[in-house]
Amino acid sequence: MDSELQDLYNEKLLALAGEDPLSGRLEAPQASVKVVSPLCGSRITVDLSLSAGKVADYAQVVRACTLGRASATVMARHVLGRTPEELRRQREAMQGVLKRGETPAAEAWPEIELFLPAKDFKSRHGSVMLAFDAVVKALDQIENGAA
């Protein structure tokens, strides 16, 4: 494996991909969203509910590559108790890492920095963004009353 791939598929990222927190479906979510990466076929279904302006309940079903699973684990580790604004900022942080190679701001979740080596693998960006995109779409559904 060449060094760029070794940097991308590092031990910490592989460990994240091996986890499956908050897996499953919610019985009565306020929003349910399925997102598919057209390039690789990775997909995620996210169920989400808010209470008092924060995520109160969350579940996900992930069928994705290593990077997509790792990214979904990051979301599942942090999503509960977060506001929609916080979650949108985390999505922006991940986009900055992937599109511009930006070091995440101090308030970004620490695992986001693990995805910096993915910047040069544009074909993987969709999979990495699955959970982040799905959560924002679910929040949009709730806020727009479309759930």
Side-chain angles (χ1 to χ4, degrees), residues 23-54:
S23 181
R25 302 295 307 268
L26 298 180
E27 193 170 306
Q30 285 180 297
S32 184
V33 173
K34 181 178 181 179
V35 177
V36 178
S37 174
L39 203 55
C40 67
S42 289
R43 61 190 181 277
I44 188 170
T45 302
V46 163
D47 294 338
L48 188 146
S49 293
L50 297 177
S51 179
K54 295 182 179 182

mmCIF file of all heavy atoms in Angstrom, residues 23-54:
data_model
loop_
_atom_site.group_PDB
_atom_site.id
_atom_site.type_symbol
_atom_site.label_atom_id
_atom_site.label_comp_id
_atom_site.label_asym_id
_atom_site.label_seq_id
_atom_site.Cartn_x
_atom_site.Cartn_y
_atom_site.Cartn_z
ATOM 1 N N SER A 23 -26.731 2.109 16.166
ATOM 2 C CA SER A 23 -27.187 1.400 14.971
ATOM 3 C C SER A 23 -28.634 0.959 15.125
ATOM 4 O O SER A 23 -29.048 0.542 16.202
ATOM 5 C CB SER A 23 -26.288 0.186 14.739
ATOM 6 O OG SER A 23 -26.697 -0.504 13.585
ATOM 7 N N GLY A 24 -29.386 1.069 14.050
ATOM 8 C CA GLY A 24 -30.771 0.625 14.042
ATOM 9 C C GLY A 24 -31.700 1.730 13.591
ATOM 10 O O GLY A 24 -31.284 2.688 12.938
ATOM 11 N N ARG A 25 -32.964 1.583 13.933
ATOM 12 C CA ARG A 25 -33.979 2.554 13.546
ATOM 13 C C ARG A 25 -34.746 3.006 14.788
ATOM 14 O O ARG A 25 -34.887 2.248 15.743
ATOM 15 C CB ARG A 25 -34.981 1.927 12.553
ATOM 16 C CG ARG A 25 -34.389 1.369 11.267
ATOM 17 C CD ARG A 25 -33.759 2.409 10.358
ATOM 18 N NE ARG A 25 -34.593 3.529 10.022
ATOM 19 C CZ ARG A 25 -35.378 3.604 8.943
ATOM 20 N NH1 ARG A 25 -35.421 2.605 8.082
ATOM 21 N NH2 ARG A 25 -36.093 4.690 8.711
ATOM 22 N N LEU A 26 -35.243 4.232 14.762
ATOM 23 C CA LEU A 26 -36.102 4.737 15.823
ATOM 24 C C LEU A 26 -37.553 4.368 15.511
ATOM 25 O O LEU A 26 -37.946 4.327 14.343
ATOM 26 C CB LEU A 26 -35.984 6.253 15.955
ATOM 27 C CG LEU A 26 -34.614 6.811 16.338
ATOM 28 C CD1 LEU A 26 -34.679 8.334 16.429
ATOM 29 C CD2 LEU A 26 -34.111 6.203 17.630
ATOM 30 N N GLU A 27 -38.323 4.149 16.551
ATOM 31 C CA GLU A 27 -39.719 3.766 16.358
ATOM 32 C C GLU A 27 -40.552 4.913 15.780
ATOM 33 O O GLU A 27 -41.393 4.701 14.921
ATOM 34 C CB GLU A 27 -40.301 3.296 17.687
ATOM 35 C CG GLU A 27 -41.625 2.581 17.526
ATOM 36 C CD GLU A 27 -42.053 1.911 18.807
ATOM 37 O OE1 GLU A 27 -41.254 1.127 19.364
ATOM 38 O OE2 GLU A 27 -43.187 2.179 19.251
ATOM 39 N N ALA A 28 -40.330 6.130 16.269
ATOM 40 C CA ALA A 28 -41.142 7.273 15.817
ATOM 41 C C ALA A 28 -40.276 8.527 15.701
ATOM 42 O O ALA A 28 -40.430 9.484 16.459
ATOM 43 C CB ALA A 28 -42.294 7.503 16.776
ATOM 44 N N PRO A 29 -39.346 8.556 14.728
ATOM 45 C CA PRO A 29 -38.482 9.738 14.587
ATOM 46 C C PRO A 29 -39.253 10.935 14.032
ATOM 47 O O PRO A 29 -40.255 10.765 13.332
ATOM 48 C CB PRO A 29 -37.419 9.276 13.595
ATOM 49 C CG PRO A 29 -38.130 8.276 12.745
ATOM 50 C CD PRO A 29 -39.070 7.562 13.691
ATOM 51 N N GLN A 30 -38.770 12.124 14.342
ATOM 52 C CA GLN A 30 -39.339 13.330 13.734
ATOM 53 C C GLN A 30 -38.930 13.422 12.263
ATOM 54 O O GLN A 30 -39.633 14.033 11.472
ATOM 55 C CB GLN A 30 -38.873 14.574 14.470
ATOM 56 C CG GLN A 30 -39.543 14.776 15.799
ATOM 57 C CD GLN A 30 -39.010 16.030 16.461
ATOM 58 O OE1 GLN A 30 -37.821 16.104 16.773
ATOM 59 N NE2 GLN A 30 -39.875 17.005 16.670
ATOM 60 N N ALA A 31 -37.779 12.856 11.934
ATOM 61 C CA ALA A 31 -37.309 12.864 10.547
ATOM 62 C C ALA A 31 -36.537 11.581 10.278
ATOM 63 O O ALA A 31 -35.865 11.049 11.154
ATOM 64 C CB ALA A 31 -36.410 14.075 10.283
ATOM 65 N N SER A 32 -36.667 11.124 9.050
ATOM 66 C CA SER A 32 -35.920 9.957 8.594
ATOM 67 C C SER A 32 -35.415 10.264 7.195
ATOM 68 O O SER A 32 -36.188 10.682 6.335
ATOM 69 C CB SER A 32 -36.825 8.719 8.572
ATOM 70 O OG SER A 32 -36.077 7.581 8.221
ATOM 71 N N VAL A 33 -34.116 10.081 6.983
ATOM 72 C CA VAL A 33 -33.489 10.452 5.714
ATOM 73 C C VAL A 33 -32.561 9.339 5.264
ATOM 74 O O VAL A 33 -31.802 8.790 6.066
ATOM 75 C CB VAL A 33 -32.672 11.765 5.871
ATOM 76 C CG1 VAL A 33 -31.879 12.072 4.623
ATOM 77 C CG2 VAL A 33 -33.582 12.919 6.212
ATOM 78 N N LYS A 34 -32.613 9.028 3.975
ATOM 79 C CA LYS A 34 -31.667 8.095 3.377
ATOM 80 C C LYS A 34 -30.830 8.870 2.366
ATOM 81 O O LYS A 34 -31.372 9.595 1.530
ATOM 82 C CB LYS A 34 -32.391 6.952 2.674
ATOM 83 C CG LYS A 34 -31.447 5.937 2.053
ATOM 84 C CD LYS A 34 -32.216 4.791 1.408
ATOM 85 C CE LYS A 34 -31.279 3.774 0.820
ATOM 86 N NZ LYS A 34 -32.024 2.649 0.212
ATOM 87 N N VAL A 35 -29.516 8.725 2.472
ATOM 88 C CA VAL A 35 -28.595 9.391 1.543
ATOM 89 C C VAL A 35 -27.699 8.323 0.937
ATOM 90 O O VAL A 35 -27.201 7.448 1.635
ATOM 91 C CB VAL A 35 -27.746 10.470 2.257
ATOM 92 C CG1 VAL A 35 -26.750 11.104 1.306
ATOM 93 C CG2 VAL A 35 -28.640 11.537 2.861
ATOM 94 N N VAL A 36 -27.509 8.417 -0.387
ATOM 95 C CA VAL A 36 -26.675 7.472 -1.119
ATOM 96 C C VAL A 36 -25.586 8.245 -1.844
ATOM 97 O O VAL A 36 -25.854 9.271 -2.472
ATOM 98 C CB VAL A 36 -27.516 6.668 -2.142
ATOM 99 C CG1 VAL A 36 -26.637 5.714 -2.934
ATOM 100 C CG2 VAL A 36 -28.633 5.910 -1.443
ATOM 101 N N SER A 37 -24.372 7.747 -1.774
ATOM 102 C CA SER A 37 -23.273 8.328 -2.543
ATOM 103 C C SER A 37 -23.338 7.729 -3.942
ATOM 104 O O SER A 37 -23.128 6.521 -4.101
ATOM 105 C CB SER A 37 -21.928 8.003 -1.885
ATOM 106 O OG SER A 37 -20.877 8.455 -2.708
ATOM 107 N N PRO A 38 -23.630 8.537 -4.956
ATOM 108 C CA PRO A 38 -23.806 7.986 -6.298
ATOM 109 C C PRO A 38 -22.534 7.365 -6.882
ATOM 110 O O PRO A 38 -22.605 6.461 -7.703
ATOM 111 C CB PRO A 38 -24.267 9.185 -7.129
ATOM 112 C CG PRO A 38 -23.903 10.389 -6.346
ATOM 113 C CD PRO A 38 -23.824 9.978 -4.913
ATOM 114 N N LEU A 39 -21.405 7.821 -6.429
ATOM 115 C CA LEU A 39 -20.149 7.334 -6.991
ATOM 116 C C LEU A 39 -19.808 5.922 -6.537
ATOM 117 O O LEU A 39 -19.397 5.082 -7.326
ATOM 118 C CB LEU A 39 -19.019 8.297 -6.621
ATOM 119 C CG LEU A 39 -17.802 8.289 -7.518
ATOM 120 C CD1 LEU A 39 -18.164 8.522 -8.976
ATOM 121 C CD2 LEU A 39 -16.822 9.356 -7.065
ATOM 122 N N CYS A 40 -20.017 5.636 -5.241
ATOM 123 C CA CYS A 40 -19.591 4.332 -4.728
ATOM 124 C C CYS A 40 -20.745 3.471 -4.224
ATOM 125 O O CYS A 40 -20.550 2.299 -3.918
ATOM 126 C CB CYS A 40 -18.560 4.511 -3.616
ATOM 127 S SG CYS A 40 -19.223 5.282 -2.118
ATOM 128 N N GLY A 41 -21.936 4.037 -4.106
ATOM 129 C CA GLY A 41 -23.077 3.267 -3.637
ATOM 130 C C GLY A 41 -23.205 3.186 -2.127
ATOM 131 O O GLY A 41 -24.136 2.563 -1.618
ATOM 132 N N SER A 42 -22.283 3.777 -1.389
ATOM 133 C CA SER A 42 -22.411 3.808 0.067
ATOM 134 C C SER A 42 -23.707 4.517 0.422
ATOM 135 O O SER A 42 -24.133 5.450 -0.255
ATOM 136 C CB SER A 42 -21.231 4.549 0.696
ATOM 137 O OG SER A 42 -20.052 3.801 0.585
ATOM 138 N N ARG A 43 -24.336 4.064 1.518
ATOM 139 C CA ARG A 43 -25.614 4.678 1.897
ATOM 140 C C ARG A 43 -25.785 4.658 3.411
ATOM 141 O O ARG A 43 -25.203 3.842 4.106
ATOM 142 C CB ARG A 43 -26.772 3.983 1.207
ATOM 143 C CG ARG A 43 -26.926 2.533 1.538
ATOM 144 C CD ARG A 43 -27.954 1.849 0.614
ATOM 145 N NE ARG A 43 -28.127 0.461 0.938
ATOM 146 C CZ ARG A 43 -27.346 -0.522 0.525
ATOM 147 N NH1 ARG A 43 -26.311 -0.260 -0.222
ATOM 148 N NH2 ARG A 43 -27.578 -1.767 0.865
ATOM 149 N N ILE A 44 -26.612 5.596 3.854
ATOM 150 C CA ILE A 44 -26.942 5.691 5.274
ATOM 151 C C ILE A 44 -28.401 6.091 5.394
ATOM 152 O O ILE A 44 -28.909 6.879 4.584
ATOM 153 C CB ILE A 44 -26.034 6.713 6.003
ATOM 154 C CG1 ILE A 44 -26.264 6.664 7.507
ATOM 155 C CG2 ILE A 44 -26.227 8.108 5.466
ATOM 156 C CD1 ILE A 44 -25.244 7.460 8.320
ATOM 157 N N THR A 45 -29.069 5.528 6.381
ATOM 158 C CA THR A 45 -30.407 5.966 6.765
ATOM 159 C C THR A 45 -30.292 6.494 8.186
ATOM 160 O O THR A 45 -29.743 5.821 9.062
ATOM 161 C CB THR A 45 -31.417 4.808 6.702
ATOM 162 O OG1 THR A 45 -31.430 4.278 5.378
ATOM 163 C CG2 THR A 45 -32.814 5.289 7.081
ATOM 164 N N VAL A 46 -30.773 7.706 8.393
ATOM 165 C CA VAL A 46 -30.686 8.382 9.678
ATOM 166 C C VAL A 46 -32.095 8.678 10.176
ATOM 167 O O VAL A 46 -32.925 9.190 9.423
ATOM 168 C CB VAL A 46 -29.887 9.701 9.519
ATOM 169 C CG1 VAL A 46 -30.114 10.621 10.688
ATOM 170 C CG2 VAL A 46 -28.417 9.417 9.342
ATOM 171 N N ASP A 47 -32.354 8.325 11.419
ATOM 172 C CA ASP A 47 -33.582 8.709 12.117
ATOM 173 C C ASP A 47 -33.184 9.674 13.217
ATOM 174 O O ASP A 47 -32.214 9.414 13.945
ATOM 175 C CB ASP A 47 -34.258 7.491 12.745
ATOM 176 C CG ASP A 47 -34.785 6.494 11.725
ATOM 177 O OD1 ASP A 47 -35.019 6.880 10.566
ATOM 178 O OD2 ASP A 47 -34.981 5.324 12.105
ATOM 179 N N LEU A 48 -33.941 10.765 13.361
ATOM 180 C CA LEU A 48 -33.539 11.814 14.288
ATOM 181 C C LEU A 48 -34.763 12.473 14.901
ATOM 182 O O LEU A 48 -35.770 12.667 14.216
ATOM 183 C CB LEU A 48 -32.709 12.838 13.508
ATOM 184 C CG LEU A 48 -32.009 13.946 14.259
ATOM 185 C CD1 LEU A 48 -30.700 14.277 13.567
ATOM 186 C CD2 LEU A 48 -32.859 15.185 14.313
ATOM 187 N N SER A 49 -34.656 12.816 16.168
ATOM 188 C CA SER A 49 -35.693 13.589 16.858
ATOM 189 C C SER A 49 -35.033 14.669 17.711
ATOM 190 O O SER A 49 -33.969 14.441 18.290
ATOM 191 C CB SER A 49 -36.544 12.687 17.763
ATOM 192 O OG SER A 49 -37.294 11.781 16.991
ATOM 193 N N LEU A 50 -35.689 15.823 17.762
ATOM 194 C CA LEU A 50 -35.229 16.942 18.580
ATOM 195 C C LEU A 50 -36.152 17.118 19.780
ATOM 196 O O LEU A 50 -37.340 16.812 19.714
ATOM 197 C CB LEU A 50 -35.247 18.241 17.782
ATOM 198 C CG LEU A 50 -34.342 18.369 16.565
ATOM 199 C CD1 LEU A 50 -34.581 19.711 15.870
ATOM 200 C CD2 LEU A 50 -32.896 18.225 16.951
ATOM 201 N N SER A 51 -35.580 17.647 20.845
ATOM 202 C CA SER A 51 -36.353 18.058 22.011
ATOM 203 C C SER A 51 -35.630 19.240 22.627
ATOM 204 O O SER A 51 -34.406 19.188 22.803
ATOM 205 C CB SER A 51 -36.465 16.912 23.017
ATOM 206 O OG SER A 51 -37.183 17.328 24.148
ATOM 207 N N ALA A 52 -36.365 20.290 22.914
ATOM 208 C CA ALA A 52 -35.794 21.507 23.500
ATOM 209 C C ALA A 52 -34.631 22.037 22.659
ATOM 210 O O ALA A 52 -33.637 22.525 23.190
ATOM 211 C CB ALA A 52 -35.361 21.262 24.945
ATOM 212 N N GLY A 53 -34.755 21.915 21.337
ATOM 213 C CA GLY A 53 -33.758 22.478 20.437
ATOM 214 C C GLY A 53 -32.472 21.684 20.303
ATOM 215 O O GLY A 53 -31.499 22.174 19.728
ATOM 216 N N LYS A 54 -32.461 20.448 20.810
ATOM 217 C CA LYS A 54 -31.266 19.608 20.718
ATOM 218 C C LYS A 54 -31.652 18.198 20.264
ATOM 219 O O LYS A 54 -32.795 17.772 20.469
ATOM 220 C CB LYS A 54 -30.547 19.522 22.067
ATOM 221 C CG LYS A 54 -29.994 20.857 22.522
ATOM 222 C CD LYS A 54 -29.257 20.731 23.826
ATOM 223 C CE LYS A 54 -28.690 22.103 24.223
ATOM 224 N NZ LYS A 54 -27.932 22.018 25.458
#
